[in-house]
Amino acid sequence: MTLRMAISELVRRLPIRQKIVFVAILSSTVALLLTLASFVAYELHEYGSTRSQALQTVARVIADNSTAALSFDDPRAASRTLVALRSESHVVSACLHDEQDRHFADYYRDGDAHVCTRETARLGGLGGDALQPVPITLDGQQIGTLYLRFEQIDIAARLFYYVTIFGFVSLTSLALAFLLARRLEKVISQPILGLVETARRVSRRDYTVRAPQESSDEIGLLVKSFNRMLDAIQRRDRQLEAHRDKLDGEVRRRTARLEEVVDRLRTEVQHRKQAEERFRYVAYHDVLTALPNRQLLRERLELAMRTARRERHRVALLFLDLDRFKEINDSFGHAMGDTLLKHVADRLVGCVRGSDGVTRVERSDEQSTVSRQGGDEFTVLLSRIAGISDISRIANRVLASLREPFQLGSHEIVVGASIGIAIFPDDGVDAETLLKHADAAMYHAKAAGRNDFAFFNESMRAAALQRITLERDLRHALERQEFELCYQPQVSLRDNRIIGVEALLRWRLEDGRHRLPGDFIPAAEETGLIVPIGEWVLRRACEQGREWQAMGLPPVKIAVNVSSRQFRKGAFFEAARAILDETGFPPHLLELEVTESSMLQDEDDVVRTLNKLGEIGVGIALDDFGTGYSSLSSLRRLPFDSLKIDQSFIEDLGVRTEAKSIVSAIIAMSHNLGLTVVAEGVRSESQRDFVRDQLCDVYQGNFFATAEPASRIVTLLEARRTDLPVV
Amino acid sequence: MIYKLVKFVVWPEPPSSTAPLHLCVYGADKVFNALTDVARGQRAQDRPLVVRRADERTLGGCHAVFIGTEPRVRMEFALRSLSGRPVLTVGEGTGFTKLGGMVNLVREGRHIRMEISRRALRLGGLNISSLVLALAQIVE
């Protein structure tokens, strides 16, 4: 068992070449041994039978040849015949007996004398084996008998003889087989080794190699199949390569496209970022002067205050207003005004930079920030100051710098400025308060005679406090509906009839007293409360007009004052239209009165809003004409229907000589522009007569009626309906 | 002897012949008697043997003839008449083969020796077995 396993293990381990040799030699040996065995067996058998046959033949011949000798009784001749047996070496003896089976002649191979008797011949014992006795006959008659004895063959010797020969033949055969097997092994193992080599090269991804096909047997078939497989693999490999190339190309193309897209995205992002920066810049900067705007100032101010609080030092805020900017704007136009503002900005920056040695004030400076608040208002923030003297020094330098004439084109312009100064934490601990206080100080400076600076002080603080109280009260008033409207009739100078009323706001206090608009409207404008208050006024006026209509009174226009702050909110038009829709008051009976100062700021917005209102039929009147700087020529561009001459001019009639000419000029020019002219503040008959003589269209004033509650207006209107002249 | 001899002689006849072989005795009566005793009912070469006396006329019908020596003239005559004919001539006495006889039996003590004339056999067209020739003395 173990031996067989060992052999099978050995065979399994042997290389094919040795296996082939092994098998060839094994089969040769087996074949040879089989051949030897059968040959020996056959040969031994054959040999035996052949020899006995030969002996029989010899015996027969001897017997035949002995007939004559027996017939003629000649033993000597018989002996001579028997001697011929000498050539048969294995014949031991021959006895020839006569007819009566008596001894006649004999032969002994070894020359020893033996007696041939019938018994010895038959029974043996004389050495060798006895051959069947051969009868000698002549003409059917037995005339004698031949007894032959012969030596038994030596099988062992014979075998040895065969084996010797066979061994030689076997060795030769095996050698031949070995040589043949070696050749054959090459025939078989060579292509296999070729295959192995090819496979090894293929495994190194060289698909172009092919195993050599040297035969068309099974190995040839194997090689062919292998090569076909290689063909397939190569084809597959090429396809794969082609695919991979295609994929690579695709990937490269996609990558390129992606990179392109990424580039575009990057560019886009950059653009966006730039846009954002620009937007941010725009959001935080004044477009005209490129200075930080009020928003950025506020942030800087808060930052500076935080730092100051932490480090326990002071911050100064300078609020600056140009003294004669409105005049310049009116005289030289907005473009010139803008250019002036730019120059002013440059000088301001120069001043601050000069003092602090900061190169880029606007950007990196945490010491000082020059910003534009809007209009001709600027601020200078000084984040880190040593003392009051520092502030004064800088303020003086700014004023001195701005006093220098500006060269604008061919014009040399001189402006001045007033500066208000508020200090953190002394004058306020928040940006809002500081700004307010600086602004207040600036007004003081301006009031004190311009071209100077003023520090915020206690009286200013009291005023400010008062304003804050007022602001709170206003809110309450709006909530508690403490406001009410009075109406002052506007009378046609042509037929002395009431053609309209101006709605005037009254603030009825708890104690029954009224506060006049002049007391609280500025505060309302500053705080922005003017917007809800203005809307309330408009709504109330429209409702009143609708009531009057419902009462069947003759239609009258209602004029409502609109503050510039209301226009600043772009939504005024929408609000007005909504109110008209809700109340059902006809737009053409509504007239909005706008002051000249409204036109100065955000003019485009105002113009756009007014135009839209004009389009839906609302009348627009320019209020307080003559107090501002507006030139009549600029009125052309605006959608005014009427113009109200400021009451100061009417008051002056009869007091100042030039007043008459001014009023008549205004009336004439307005008519030239197609405007209806309203004279305000007519208190006397002479005044009324003068404006009537100057062909003024409408007058308004105490001469006819003061501002009256709505109920009183009803009476006046009813009187008109009866068509009785009022006066 | 004659009777034994015919067994080894081949005549120029068809070998298939089954006709009896005629053994003749010419002259010697003693021989005829002995031969008649020995050969009675015997066969040679699968042919029955007939023993008879022969005279000058009947000699030609014999296959083998024993010719007595006495008288000499008769012997010579018989041999002369049989010369060249397929009849085996057997005699005894010196000069028999010289006179044209084929087989001469010579008594030598106990044994009888044969003298065979091959010329005579050839003339008669007879063949005699080499085994016999090996036993005999060949004369020309």
Side-chain angles (χ1 to χ4, degrees):
Chain A
M1 198 64 188
T2 44
L3 180 66
R4 209 163 62 189
M5 277 165 64
I7 287 174
S8 67
E9 175 66 20
L10 180 69
V11 168
R12 211 160 52 76
R13 276 208 201 138
L14 274 179
I16 283 185
R17 46 192 309 173
Q18 292 182 19
K19 261 181 215 166
I20 289 168
V21 173
F22 178 74
V23 165
I25 288 181
L26 187 67
S27 49
S28 304
T29 309
V30 169
L32 279 170
L33 284 176
L34 278 174
T35 311
L36 172 66
S38 52
F39 179 76
V40 165
Y42 173 78
E43 195 63 13
L44 284 177
H45 174 257
E46 236 0 56
Y47 179 74
S49 70
T50 306
R51 212 163 58 143
S52 65
Q53 268 181 13
L55 278 172
Q56 289 284 350
T57 308
V58 166
R60 187 87 261 146
V61 168
I62 294 294
D64 285 347
N65 286 350
S66 301
T67 47
L70 276 170
S71 293
F72 296 106
D73 194 21
D74 188 344
R76 282 194 294 141
S79 290
R80 280 202 302 276
T81 306
L82 287 178
V83 166
L85 285 171
R86 207 169 285 284
S87 62
E88 302 286 331
S89 60
H90 45 274
V91 174
V92 177
S93 64
C95 293
L96 193 63
H97 287 205
D98 63 9
E99 203 172 345
Q100 281 76 44
D101 206 14
R102 288 184 307 242
H103 178 264
F104 181 69
D106 52 21
Y107 158 76
Y108 303 103
R109 185 183 67 184
D110 302 329
D112 297 337
H114 294 288
V115 181
C116 273
T117 65
R118 192 161 44 200
E119 285 67 32
T120 54
R122 289 232 175 99
L123 299 173
L126 291 175
D129 294 334
L131 190 70
Q132 197 73 26
V134 178
I136 302 166
T137 54
L138 188 64
D139 281 332
Q141 270 193 326
Q142 184 165 356
I143 57 171
T145 310
L146 178 63
Y147 298 96
L148 259 178
R149 300 196 72 82
F150 60 93
E151 218 167 36
Q152 192 56 269
I153 46 165
D154 187 351
I155 291 182
R158 203 73 203 171
L159 262 178
F160 177 75
Y161 170 70
Y162 285 138
V163 165
T164 309
I165 290 178
F166 224 89
F168 176 72
V169 170
S170 298
L171 280 177
T172 314
S173 303
L174 286 178
L176 270 172
F178 181 74
L179 286 175
L180 274 172
R182 286 292 294 267
R183 292 284 305 169
L184 189 70
E185 158 265 300
K186 276 203 184 102
V187 166
I188 292 172
S189 67
Q190 206 73 352
I192 291 179
L193 287 177
L195 267 183
V196 169
E197 175 58 22
T198 309
R200 198 162 30 224
R201 284 172 65 186
V202 166
S203 70
R204 291 196 293 262
R205 302 185 66 80
D206 179 2
Y207 298 123
T208 55
V209 292
R210 290 293 180 272
Q213 190 191 349
E214 285 154 352
S215 58
S216 53
D217 55 6
E218 290 88 336
I219 289 179
L221 279 176
L222 177 61
V223 168
K224 202 187 266 177
S225 305
F226 185 75
N227 282 342
R228 262 208 295 275
M229 189 179 76
L230 278 184
D231 286 345
I233 289 177
Q234 193 176 14
R235 220 164 27 241
R236 180 67 70 84
D237 191 54
R238 273 202 212 107
Q239 280 173 355
L240 273 177
E241 234 161 73
H243 270 291
R244 201 186 51 209
D245 286 352
K246 217 168 81 183
L247 269 179
D248 275 355
E250 187 68 10
V251 166
R252 264 198 296 279
R253 215 165 51 241
R254 294 272 171 99
T255 307
R257 217 148 62 201
L258 211 70
E259 275 168 5
E260 213 173 280
V261 169
V262 166
D263 274 353
R264 274 215 302 274
L265 257 176
R266 201 174 289 137
T267 317
E268 178 70 21
V269 165
Q270 232 160 14
H271 283 334
R272 292 264 174 101
K273 219 177 255 173
Q274 283 172 357
E276 209 170 87
E277 271 169 25
R278 207 156 45 231
F279 181 79
R280 213 181 125 75
Y281 183 86
V282 167
Y284 279 108
H285 289 81
D286 174 53
V287 182
L288 181 65
T289 58
L291 286 177
N293 62 11
R294 92 175 66 206
Q295 188 60 38
L296 186 52
L297 169 77
R298 187 177 284 271
E299 287 181 12
R300 294 257 172 101
L301 181 55
E302 272 160 9
L303 181 69
M305 288 191 297
R306 275 202 300 279
T307 312
R309 196 175 286 126
R310 203 167 54 239
E311 299 179 3
R312 301 181 179 283
H313 58 76
R314 286 184 157 81
V315 173
L317 181 67
L318 279 62
F319 200 105
L320 182 147
D321 187 278
L322 294 182
D323 284 339
R324 291 178 55 236
F325 183 68
K326 276 169 191 161
E327 291 172 41
I328 292 158
N329 222 11
D330 287 345
S331 314
F332 298 101
H334 291 292
M336 192 69 95
D338 288 351
T339 313
L340 176 64
L341 288 175
K342 278 191 230 175
H343 281 86
V344 169
D346 288 346
R347 281 198 194 174
L348 284 175
V349 171
C351 287
V352 176
R353 182 168 56 201
S355 72
D356 297 344
V358 178
T359 326
R360 294 293 303 273
V361 174
E362 174 260 318
R363 184 184 290 182
S364 65
D365 177 36
E366 60 169 36
Q367 307 262 320
S368 52
T369 300
V370 176
S371 67
R372 185 180 173 216
Q373 287 295 99
D376 58 346
E377 294 174 343
F378 294 87
T379 55
V380 177
L381 170 67
L382 302 172
S383 329
R384 195 180 288 270
I385 51 168
I388 301 297
S389 59
D390 272 354
I391 305 169
S392 306
R393 194 162 45 79
I394 291 169
N396 272 322
R397 188 156 60 200
V398 168
L399 290 175
S401 163
L402 292 181
R403 262 198 301 273
E404 293 294 316
F406 289 91
Q407 191 68 43
L408 298 179
S410 55
H411 302 280
E412 195 171 75
I413 294 166
V414 179
V415 292
S418 302
I419 299 175
I421 301 166
I423 295 166
F424 168 90
D426 312 66
D427 303 326
V429 290
D430 60 278
E432 192 69 33
T433 313
L434 269 184
L435 270 168
K436 211 175 274 179
H437 287 175
D439 190 19
M442 186 273 291
Y443 272 107
H444 269 272
K446 193 155 278 202
R450 300 186 168 179
N451 223 335
D452 202 353
F453 65 88
F455 283 97
F456 180 76
N457 57 30
E458 278 311 310
S459 63
M460 290 180 212
R461 182 187 300 278
L465 194 64
Q466 203 179 351
R467 271 251 289 279
I468 289 166
T469 313
L470 178 63
E471 188 182 322
R472 194 193 56 214
D473 290 349
L474 274 174
R475 276 184 217 284
H476 286 159
L478 202 58
E479 286 162 15
R480 299 173 191 164
Q481 303 205 338
E482 291 176 350
F483 293 117
E484 58 183 34
L485 290 183
C486 295
Y487 303 92
Q488 185 167 42
Q490 296 177 332
V491 183
S492 168
L493 284 164
R494 228 169 326 213
D495 53 13
N496 216 23
R497 289 184 181 192
I498 297 173
I499 58 154
V501 293
E502 180 182 0
L504 293 166
L505 184 61
R506 293 290 181 269
W507 184 1
R508 181 171 39 79
L509 296 174
E510 282 174 36
D511 54 9
R513 290 184 299 121
H514 282 89
R515 288 186 76 162
L516 293 174
D519 292 343
F520 61 87
I521 288 302
E525 282 186 333
E526 248 174 72
T527 55
L529 280 170
I530 192 69
V531 176
I533 291 171
E535 277 182 26
W536 180 85
V537 170
L538 186 59
R539 183 178 297 275
R540 184 74 205 102
C542 289
E543 283 169 356
Q544 187 62 70
R546 195 77 188 88
E547 282 170 33
W548 288 335
Q549 276 190 325
M551 290 164 73
L553 295 171
V556 285
K557 284 206 279 193
I558 298 181
V560 175
N561 291 289
V562 179
S563 160
S564 59
R565 281 292 298 265
Q566 284 174 272
F567 287 123
R568 214 177 273 167
K569 298 267 179 178
F572 179 73
F573 171 73
E574 315 299 335
R577 194 168 63 180
I579 288 165
L580 286 169
D581 285 350
E582 286 164 28
T583 57
F585 188 67
H588 69 272
L589 289 180
L590 180 64
E591 188 168 72
L592 298 178
E593 295 191 357
V594 184
T595 60
E596 272 185 291
S597 57
S598 303
M599 316 311 309
L600 289 174
Q601 293 165 338
D602 308 312
E603 192 181 73
D604 285 349
D605 274 353
V606 177
V607 171
R608 205 172 302 126
T609 306
L610 293 180
N611 275 328
K612 284 202 280 188
L613 288 165
E615 277 165 24
I616 63 169
V618 176
I620 311 290
L622 181 58
D623 203 4
D624 300 340
F625 184 76
T627 55
Y629 305 98
S630 44
S631 57
L632 281 169
S633 60
S634 67
L635 296 181
R636 262 187 232 274
R637 298 184 290 111
L638 299 168
F640 290 119
D641 301 296
S642 53
L643 181 147
K644 296 178 85 171
I645 302 169
D646 191 71
Q647 51 190 352
S648 59
F649 292 103
I650 306 299
E651 270 173 36
D652 287 348
L653 288 172
V655 181
R656 289 182 170 190
T657 45
E658 78 270 22
K660 281 184 180 172
S661 47
I662 288 173
V663 168
S664 50
I666 289 172
I667 293 168
M669 277 196 300
S670 299
H671 282 162
N672 278 342
L673 291 169
L675 299 172
T676 305
V677 184
V678 179
E680 273 188 293
V682 175
R683 295 169 179 272
S684 64
E685 193 173 7
S686 63
Q687 287 168 350
R688 199 267 321 260
D689 290 346
F690 178 77
V691 294
R692 187 185 56 199
D693 293 346
Q694 294 304 315
L695 300 177
C696 185
D697 302 293
V698 178
Y699 80 95
Q700 174 185 345
N702 292 348
F703 174 67
F704 181 80
T706 54
E708 306 285 349
S711 55
R712 172 91 179 103
I713 297 299
V714 172
T715 316
L716 289 171
L717 288 177
E718 279 176 339
R720 190 201 138 177
R721 190 172 52 182
T722 56
D723 223 328
L724 292 170
V726 186
V727 177
Chain B
M1 273 311 254
I2 300 166
Y3 141 74
K4 287 182 181 175
L5 261 177
V6 296
K7 295 189 176 183
F8 297 96
V9 175
V10 179
W11 281 268
E13 291 174 13
S16 58
S17 169
T18 54
L21 283 172
H22 290 261
L23 302 184
C24 299
V25 179
Y26 181 71
D29 293 336
K30 285 189 295 184
V31 173
F32 174 74
N33 293 335
L35 186 61
T36 307
D37 288 345
V38 172
R40 187 175 292 146
Q42 297 285 338
R43 297 172 75 90
Q45 300 180 37
D46 278 336
R47 298 166 80 165
L49 291 178
V50 176
V51 180
R52 64 176 169 96
R53 286 183 188 276
D55 54 22
E56 286 75 13
R57 287 176 290 124
T58 56
L59 276 175
C62 295
H63 289 93
V65 183
F66 183 84
I67 299 169
T69 48
E70 295 298 325
R72 180 108 178 158
V73 181
R74 283 190 64 169
M75 183 186 72
E76 286 178 5
F77 171 75
L79 286 175
R80 215 182 290 138
S81 60
L82 290 176
S83 174
R85 293 184 66 171
V87 178
L88 180 70
T89 54
V90 184
E92 59 182 345
T94 44
F96 179 74
T97 51
K98 284 189 170 81
L99 289 172
M102 292 175 181
V103 178
N104 183 29
L105 304 174
V106 182
R107 191 165 300 266
E108 279 185 0
R110 247 175 16 93
H111 275 279
I112 295 169
R113 185 171 55 87
M114 284 184 284
E115 282 179 354
I116 293 174
S117 169
R118 294 180 66 178
R119 190 174 64 87
L121 283 169
R122 205 156 48 234
L123 279 173
L126 297 181
N127 274 319
I128 191 160
S129 168
S130 60
L131 292 173
V132 178
L133 287 177
L135 299 176
Q137 185 184 0
I138 307 300
V139 296
E140 292 301 323

